[in-house]
Amino acid sequence: MSHHPAQLLCSEDPAPYEIINDEGAGHALFVCDHASRAIPKSLGTLGLPEAERKRHIGWDIGARKVTEILVKRFDCPAVLCGFSRLVIDCNRQLWDPTGMPEVADKTVVPGNQNVSPREHMKRIREIFLPYHWAIEERIARFHAHKIAPAIVAIHSFTPVFQGFERPWEIGILWDQDDRIPLPLLENLRRQNPDLTIGDNEPYSGRHMADYTIDHHAEAANLPCVSVEIRQDLIDTDDGCEKWAGILGDALESILADPNLYKLRRD
């Protein structure tokens, strides 16, 4: 099919989001903002060789697989973003320059240099907004059944960033709502005494770069957490199985508690 210049995406591109286990009976919604490293055909490779696109700058290595395993375990739905964070980062505020990075971890992204406002709007309209609408729709469906769902975001982080070797295997990110994070940290520490577990490390959930949770969960008083797993631990299927198991075991009692699924009252 010939590409229509007015559109970013064509019929050969993946959808802006993917929903798995949509009819799941669980009361949590899993989200994975950086599940894919796909780039729309119309943008080619963004001027990057494959080795760069496969790096952590393009996606969260292992995060998709971990999400899939957890979704199966807890029988919950999940919304996964369909495109690379290099095209548009769906976990950033729209005004944030890292949302369409011209340079990503020291790598210049040629396809993101001097992007016109019109081209930027295409990425927002055709990827960012549909992804977030899909999350909104799932949350609305829970509310229609009188359920305040728990929102669990799955991410992964690079072992070395800007020369710093990160000691954490897993990090729990949170802001005002401690209903999931505190028991999760406690369970992880008790069940895995040999691990280095980050409490708002290597990133803070209080930082602006956590748009999905801030926008859909924090602002709506829904129970929520962002989880970051180090990428060298989940860059194989076996690693994903192992870490989905560790995280799943720690989440088990929390997600099983019917009292969790309520709006937070300050």
Side-chain angles (χ1 to χ4, degrees):
M1 166 186 162
S2 66
H3 182 72
H4 194 286
Q7 300 274 146
L8 173 69
L9 303 181
C10 71
S11 58
E12 289 148 46
D13 283 317
Y17 61 87
E18 186 182 344
I19 292 167
I20 51 178
N21 199 35
D22 202 17
E23 303 305 320
H27 292 176
L29 175 67
F30 284 80
V31 295
C32 193
D33 300 317
H34 305 140
S36 171
R37 57 187 185 87
I39 295 171
K41 291 244 184 319
S42 64
L43 299 179
T45 63
L46 287 173
L48 293 170
E50 189 179 18
E52 289 288 346
R53 301 195 306 276
K54 277 184 165 167
R55 251 167 32 90
H56 72 93
I57 59 172
W59 60 329
D60 278 0
I61 294 160
R64 180 198 172 97
K65 181 83 176 160
V66 169
T67 304
E68 288 172 347
I69 297 165
L70 289 167
V71 156
K72 200 168 178 185
R73 174 171 181 165
F74 293 110
D75 191 24
C76 294
V79 184
L80 298 86
C81 189
F83 287 94
S84 171
R85 62 193 302 173
L86 291 170
V87 179
I88 189 161
D89 191 330
C90 287
N91 197 32
R92 295 290 182 274
Q93 300 275 353
L94 285 175
W95 47 258
D96 188 330
T98 66
M100 198 176 66
E102 295 186 25
V103 181
D105 191 16
K106 303 193 173 94
T107 296
V108 173
V109 185
N112 286 350
Q113 308 298 314
N114 307 311
V115 174
S116 71
R118 184 184 172 146
E119 291 300 314
H120 192 179
M121 272 311 297
K122 284 185 195 175
R123 300 188 194 189
I124 293 169
R125 197 169 54 234
E126 297 182 47
I127 298 172
F128 185 96
L129 291 176
Y131 172 67
H132 285 290
W133 288 335
I135 295 172
E136 288 285 351
E137 201 177 311
R138 299 285 136 344
I139 292 172
R141 196 190 287 182
F142 277 112
H143 284 314
H145 292 103
K146 306 283 187 281
I147 297 160
I151 313 297
V152 181
I154 303 294
H155 293 270
S156 67
F157 64 94
T158 180
V160 179
F161 189 63
Q162 294 176 344
F164 172 63
E165 283 198 35
R166 290 156 152 182
W168 310 279
E169 287 95 352
I170 187 168
I172 305 305
L173 279 53
W174 61 288
D175 191 355
Q176 287 121 39
D177 194 330
D178 61 8
R179 288 176 290 171
I180 300 176
L182 291 190
L184 181 54
L185 283 161
E186 193 184 313
N187 291 351
L188 281 168
R189 287 172 183 145
R190 191 182 67 254
Q191 294 165 5
N192 312 277
D194 53 338
L195 291 185
T196 305
I197 296 160
D199 179 351
N200 273 325
E201 299 281 5
Y203 308 104
S204 174
R206 301 182 171 102
H207 191 271
M208 291 303 284
D210 198 20
Y211 175 78
T212 299
I213 287 289
D214 289 348
H215 177 72
H216 296 286
E218 288 275 4
N221 294 319
L222 296 173
C224 58
V225 68
S226 274
V227 178
E228 292 268 0
I229 305 171
R230 207 174 66 210
Q231 286 166 355
D232 58 327
L233 303 173
I234 54 171
D235 57 2
T236 63
D237 283 354
D238 286 350
C240 289
E241 291 281 354
K242 177 185 170 179
W243 278 89
I246 290 170
L247 179 55
D249 289 349
L251 279 169
E252 184 87 42
S253 61
I254 302 167
L255 295 185
D257 180 0
N259 293 316
L260 176 66
Y261 304 100
K262 297 186 167 120
L263 299 181
R264 182 167 59 98
R265 304 271 179 244
D266 289 323

